[in-house]
Amino acid sequence: MDVELAWLRSWIEVVDSGGFARAAARLHVSQPRVSARVASLERALGCVLIERRIRPLTLTDEGRRLLPRARMIVAALDDAVSDMRATAGTLTGKLAIASFASASSEFLPGVLRKLRDANPLLELAVLDGDVQVIEDSLSERRAAVALRPLRPEPADQALVRRGIWREPFVVLAPPGHPVLGNDSITLENVAAYPVITIGDPLGDPSLGYEAWSAMQSSRIEPAAGMVSHQPTTLAAMVRGGHGIGLLNSLAGAMVRTDGLEVREVANRHLYRDVGLWWHAERPLSRAAQAFIDLVLDGDRPAGTLPIPTD
């Protein structure tokens, strides 16, 4: 039996949505149709892909083996169709870009405006998340290209990158806070107080990766801290008196700073390098290449620096 693309798409949507009802709503078809498509896929492959008696939705071993291949098949076909339908002057299809909050806020809008102005039929999607979400989006072929910090290194060795900018870090503090009394704020000054940083709240309970790495390199023992992956939450926690904020400069630019002061931190180990990432095993579509070209040929965000070359 031939495997139909609609079966693969429906099954992937069930996995991503976490259930048949949500998948049906996102695909704009009935739930029985989604169930029938998944059942047809399982019959064609001769195996069960989803454990239907377990909640939340759980894949079988066969389902886990199939998922990355299915994503690759669907992504490759979508890219091929988009490229073939594109004319010499305009691109069509869909381009999904993974990014993190401050890059999405302070950099992507201008780049995507240029891309859309030149290609009005191109559909654009932005998937926001932390470094792990971004890596997963590329590895699972849910995004074709990404903006992601260079550190920490991704586990997927097939991801390739081009560095594009370096950001200093800034402190957010209420007016009159003692840390602001220093003419030049150092990491040692910051570490004397409870600090709220950008990172993974589940994986980094006290310090985000870049802040932790800089303090380790500077041999500084920080005070107790708090981690958030949302700059707006970080700023709200600073306003609430939970500590001072330590975050990359673009994140500092995107948040409301009323009632707060922003000062740059002086430390050679504390910075965020940002790059363009894509998956070496997924050929770049014309739309993805056009996005990459715009980023590499365009201006860096205000306040950022070029990444030094070794």
Side-chain angles (χ1 to χ4, degrees):
M1 183 187 294
D2 293 333
V3 173
E4 295 186 13
L5 184 63
W7 300 350
L8 282 175
R9 288 191 190 277
S10 295
W11 177 65
I12 291 171
E13 192 59 60
V14 169
V15 174
D16 289 345
S17 302
F20 287 83
R22 291 190 189 125
R26 292 176 64 170
L27 292 169
H28 304 292
V29 298
S30 67
Q31 184 173 337
R33 179 170 292 185
V34 171
S35 299
R37 288 174 178 175
V38 174
S40 295
L41 178 62
E42 291 175 322
R43 283 196 301 272
L45 298 177
C47 61
V48 176
L49 300 173
I50 295 174
E51 296 282 8
R52 289 169 174 77
R53 293 172 296 179
I54 299 177
R55 296 291 183 272
L57 183 142
T58 303
L59 294 178
T60 63
D61 290 342
E62 291 81 3
R64 284 189 289 273
R65 289 205 305 273
L66 176 63
L67 186 58
R69 299 178 185 179
R71 291 192 192 280
M72 188 181 300
I73 291 167
V74 172
L77 182 59
D78 287 345
D79 288 347
V81 170
S82 296
D83 284 356
M84 295 304 294
R85 287 179 176 174
T87 66
T90 188
L91 304 173
T92 62
K94 182 176 182 179
L95 175 64
I97 302 155
S99 182
F100 55 99
S102 55
S104 297
S105 172
E106 301 301 307
F107 179 69
L108 270 185
V111 175
L112 296 186
R113 171 51 59 193
K114 291 179 182 177
L115 186 61
R116 175 162 278 161
D117 285 348
N119 307 281
L121 299 179
L122 182 63
E123 296 180 44
L124 299 172
V126 178
L127 310 176
D128 276 329
D130 58 21
V131 290
Q132 189 58 56
V133 169
I134 295 170
E135 179 179 346
D136 291 345
S137 297
L138 289 173
S139 296
E140 296 171 3
R141 311 310 197 269
R142 288 184 285 121
V145 65
L147 293 170
R148 180 193 183 275
L150 300 192
R151 302 181 298 171
E153 287 283 344
D156 189 341
Q157 297 300 304
L159 297 184
V160 294
R161 71 191 189 194
R162 288 282 301 274
I164 46 181
W165 73 69
R166 171 169 289 185
E167 297 178 49
F169 267 59
V170 298
V171 162
L172 292 184
H177 191 282
V179 77
L180 300 174
N182 299 282
D183 293 333
S184 175
I185 298 178
T186 67
L187 198 54
E188 289 85 352
N189 300 145
V190 173
Y193 305 96
V195 61
I196 309 168
T197 55
I198 293 291
D200 176 5
L202 299 179
D204 307 313
S206 60
L207 280 178
Y209 179 84
E210 288 145 334
W212 175 87
S213 178
M215 290 192 184
Q216 289 289 307
S217 298
S218 303
R219 295 183 172 84
I220 298 171
E221 188 67 32
M226 182 186 300
V227 174
S228 173
H229 71 266
Q230 285 294 340
T232 51
T233 301
L234 183 151
M237 292 298 173
V238 174
R239 284 194 188 85
H242 295 280
I244 57 176
L246 182 64
L247 66 170
N248 54 301
S249 60
L250 287 190
M254 71 169 282
V255 301
R256 285 178 38 232
T257 55
D258 49 297
L260 299 174
E261 293 194 26
V262 184
R263 294 271 298 277
E264 189 168 324
V265 179
N267 184 280
R268 64 188 179 91
H269 300 297
L270 184 60
Y271 56 84
R272 168 173 285 187
D273 286 345
V274 175
L276 269 171
W277 297 76
W278 58 92
H279 205 285
E281 296 173 0
R282 176 180 179 177
L284 289 171
S285 66
R286 289 175 59 187
Q289 188 62 62
F291 173 80
I292 291 171
D293 292 342
L294 277 174
V295 172
L296 296 179
D297 294 341
D299 295 330
R300 297 187 309 273
T304 63
L305 305 167
I307 298 175
T309 56
D310 296 329

